[in-house]
Amino acid sequence: GQNIDQPTEMTATEGAIVQINCTYQTSGFNGLFWYQQHAGEAPTFLSYNVLDGLEEKGRFSSFLSRSKGYSYLLLKELQMKDSASYLCAVNSGGYQKVTFGTGTKLQVIP
Amino acid sequence: KAGVTQTPRYLIKTRGQQVTLSCSPISGHRSVSWYQQTPGQGLQFLFEYFSETQRNKGNFPGRFSGRQFSNSRSEMNVSTLELGDSALYLCASTLAGSSYEQYFGPGTRLTVT
């Protein structure tokens, strides 16, 4: 079966750093996505990790440890517009079979 | 380049009816995936099509079906609608090949009464 866990909600302060964790147990693994979804909008792609390690993209970084079934998304210099749900998803099928976690709702406060 | 488009954006149906949703991927994208999103379950994978063939299928009953046309446009159909089918239905397109990034459409909000 497929199981992806991430915290339901988090709150952080504007300008701070926040780390959103994701653990997964899936049958098969091709890579791990992070998506951002603002309320009422479609998810937008943030990152895709295939190999272990940290990938940095501006204020956003994503880390993957395949042996531990663990990933995190790191958001630096938080801005109010970062308030959104962050979805962890695993690509596990022979092709494009993607299983999403239920998402972490991040609230950035002044 | 135009994004992923979905029609209709909103739909209200009654139990027992059937519904067809449409998705037009980004030009050149050949893979289309469908998801159901509900507050309780999050995003759940329905199926994925590539070159008119269903390559992957999620754990949904046979009432949920789909197809893809030669121009990569895709439709999904839900028959014998139930109240629990009320959800946001999202489609996502992928260039395929070595690219895995999915581009999501705005979704179709289906309400079953």
Side-chain angles (χ1 to χ4, degrees):
Chain A
Q2 317 284 73
N3 190 46
I4 300 174
D5 288 316
Q6 48 182 135
T8 305
E9 294 181 345
M10 298 182 72
T11 301
T13 305
E14 189 176 14
I17 299 173
V18 70
Q19 178 174 312
I20 302 174
N21 295 323
C22 171
T23 58
Y24 63 90
Q25 289 177 302
T26 57
S27 52
F29 181 86
N30 295 325
L32 188 142
F33 292 97
W34 283 98
Y35 282 87
Q36 179 191 60
Q37 186 176 27
H38 285 99
E41 298 182 11
T44 55
F45 173 85
L46 291 176
S47 65
Y48 183 59
N49 291 65
V50 176
L51 302 176
D52 291 351
L54 183 70
E55 290 195 9
E56 299 184 73
K57 195 182 292 185
R59 295 189 299 114
F60 291 40
S61 302
S62 56
F63 172 85
L64 175 67
S65 170
R66 290 171 296 170
S67 62
K68 295 182 179 178
Y70 169 68
S71 174
Y72 67 74
L73 180 69
L74 194 69
L75 290 74
K76 303 176 186 175
E77 302 169 12
L78 280 171
Q79 301 175 9
M80 299 300 292
K81 67 178 182 179
D82 297 329
S83 293
S85 286
Y86 291 85
L87 309 175
C88 170
V90 173
N91 182 0
S92 61
Y95 300 103
Q96 189 82 325
K97 182 171 185 178
V98 182
T99 303
F100 280 80
T102 52
T104 298
K105 188 174 181 180
L106 173 67
Q107 183 183 15
V108 180
I109 58 176
Chain B
K1 184 184 278 190
V4 179
T5 58
Q6 291 187 246
T7 57
R9 293 293 312 279
Y10 302 91
L11 205 50
I12 299 175
K13 292 284 189 179
T14 56
R15 278 180 296 177
Q17 288 187 312
Q18 75 162 17
V19 66
T20 300
L21 312 181
S22 180
C23 171
S24 292
I26 292 172
S27 178
H29 285 198
R30 298 171 62 191
S31 169
V32 174
S33 299
W34 286 90
Y35 297 88
Q36 181 195 67
Q37 186 173 33
T38 58
Q41 298 294 321
L43 266 161
Q44 291 187 286
F45 174 78
L46 280 156
F47 26 66
E48 185 254 352
Y49 286 88
F50 178 81
S51 292
E52 304 178 64
T53 301
Q54 187 183 89
R55 297 195 300 188
N56 283 299
K57 190 177 189 305
N59 299 322
F60 278 81
R63 300 184 298 107
F64 291 81
S65 63
R67 60 178 175 170
Q68 187 180 35
F69 302 95
S70 58
N71 62 357
S72 294
R73 188 178 71 86
S74 178
E75 290 182 346
M76 67 163 282
N77 184 77
V78 188
S79 62
T80 320
L81 283 166
E82 301 177 359
L83 294 179
D85 297 334
S86 294
L88 180 67
Y89 290 88
L90 291 160
C91 84
S93 76
T94 306
L95 183 59
S98 60
S99 170
Y100 289 95
E101 181 176 342
Q102 290 184 305
Y103 294 84
F104 281 85
T108 294
R109 174 74 62 185
L110 172 65
T111 302
V112 182
T113 62

